């Protein structure tokens, strides 16, 4: 029996935006689409999800009425070939809450919490994709053996469409951009 015989056809061919939009929320959960191909993500740990939730709640409060922060939805980076990423936290314009798909021009900040198996993607691949899409801020949260996370912040250089390294925080994020906020992740 071949691999193709035991796995769905969509795992072996590029899908279009129209095909993806016809799928149910259950079919879209736990996947990203990269260059039209489905990429299945393993379930995140409880610690990973807690860090994302703490960040989303704090950024949502700091963003005021103009910005929302949330978890677990797609950001459409490009239509052809289809590339949808599902950042751990997305800060987006509040007036686009009902606009689907969420596009880079709606997004101010994305956060990725690095987990075993996502190291290269979160540290290299997504950084490049988010920068080329024009998302102004990128934060990467590294989980450590001590349990106190390291947070790396990046800001877009619009001329080169690459990120410049910002500040690094240990356990507590004291950021002035994109909002003045203090977020204690040491308890995450």
């Amino acid at each position: 029996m071949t691999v193709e015989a035991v796995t769905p056809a969509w795992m072996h061919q590029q899908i279009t935006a129209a095909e993806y939009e016809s799928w149910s929320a259950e079919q879209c959960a736990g996947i990203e689409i990269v260059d039209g191909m489905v990429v299945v993500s393993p379930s995140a740990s409880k610690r990973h999800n807690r860090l994302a939730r703490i960040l989303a709640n704090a950024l949502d409060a700091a963003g005021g009425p103009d910005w929302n922060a949330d978890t677990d939805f797609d950001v459409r980076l490009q239509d052809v070939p289809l590339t949808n990423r599902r950042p751990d936290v997305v800060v987006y314009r509040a007036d686009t809450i009902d606009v689907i798909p969420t596009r880079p021009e709606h997004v101010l900040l994305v956060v990725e919490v690095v987990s075993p198996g996502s190291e290269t993607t979160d540290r290299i691949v997504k950084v490049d994709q988010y920068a080329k899409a024009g998302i102004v801020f990128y934060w990467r949260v590294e989980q450590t053996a001590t349990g106190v996370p390291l947070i790396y912040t990046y800001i877009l250089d619009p001329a080169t469409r690459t990120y410049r390294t910002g500040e690094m925080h240990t356990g507590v994020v004291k950021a002035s951009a994109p909002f003045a906020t203090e977020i204690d992740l040491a308890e995450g």
Side-chain angles (χ1 to χ4, degrees):
M1 184 175 285
T2 66
V3 171
E4 288 80 11
V6 294
T7 58
W10 54 259
M11 293 188 78
H12 305 285
Q13 60 193 23
Q14 284 188 318
I15 64 164
T16 66
E19 289 169 323
Y20 183 76
E21 288 163 5
S22 73
W23 292 3
S24 69
E26 291 79 27
Q27 288 173 297
C28 297
I31 65 169
E32 293 180 313
I33 309 295
V34 180
D35 295 330
M37 301 302 291
V38 174
V39 177
V40 179
S41 301
S43 295
S45 70
K46 290 186 280 185
R47 179 172 303 282
H48 175 283
N49 289 339
R50 180 166 170 74
L51 288 168
R53 185 172 44 81
I54 290 168
L55 281 162
N57 290 345
L59 289 166
D60 194 58
D66 295 332
W67 297 97
N68 293 338
D70 218 330
T71 61
D72 201 31
F73 66 89
D74 292 338
V75 175
R76 172 81 46 91
L77 299 181
Q78 66 185 38
D79 290 311
V80 179
L82 179 61
T83 298
N84 282 348
R85 287 296 189 177
R86 192 170 283 231
D88 293 313
V89 179
V90 180
V91 176
Y92 61 95
R93 288 192 350 245
D95 64 352
T96 66
I97 193 166
D98 294 319
V99 176
I100 297 174
T102 299
R103 296 195 178 272
E105 58 268 22
H106 306 148
V107 176
L108 179 64
L109 164 70
V110 292
V111 179
E112 293 290 355
V113 179
V114 179
S115 295
S118 75
E119 295 96 337
T120 301
T121 302
D122 291 344
R123 293 177 187 152
I124 299 169
V125 178
K126 287 183 179 181
V127 175
D128 183 59
Q129 289 177 332
Y130 294 147
K132 289 198 176 9
I135 296 172
V136 180
F137 294 95
Y138 176 69
W139 291 4
R140 188 181 84 237
V141 179
E142 296 279 347
Q143 300 181 68
T144 65
T146 65
V148 179
L150 298 174
I151 303 90
Y152 297 89
T153 65
Y154 302 88
I155 186 165
L156 184 67
D157 178 337
T160 62
R161 290 278 180 143
T162 59
Y163 286 117
R164 292 186 311 231
T165 302
E167 299 175 324
M168 185 194 79
H169 307 274
T170 304
V172 178
V173 179
K174 292 181 183 177
S176 58
F179 317 113
T181 187
E182 185 170 325
I183 308 167
D184 186 357
L185 295 176
E187 298 300 317

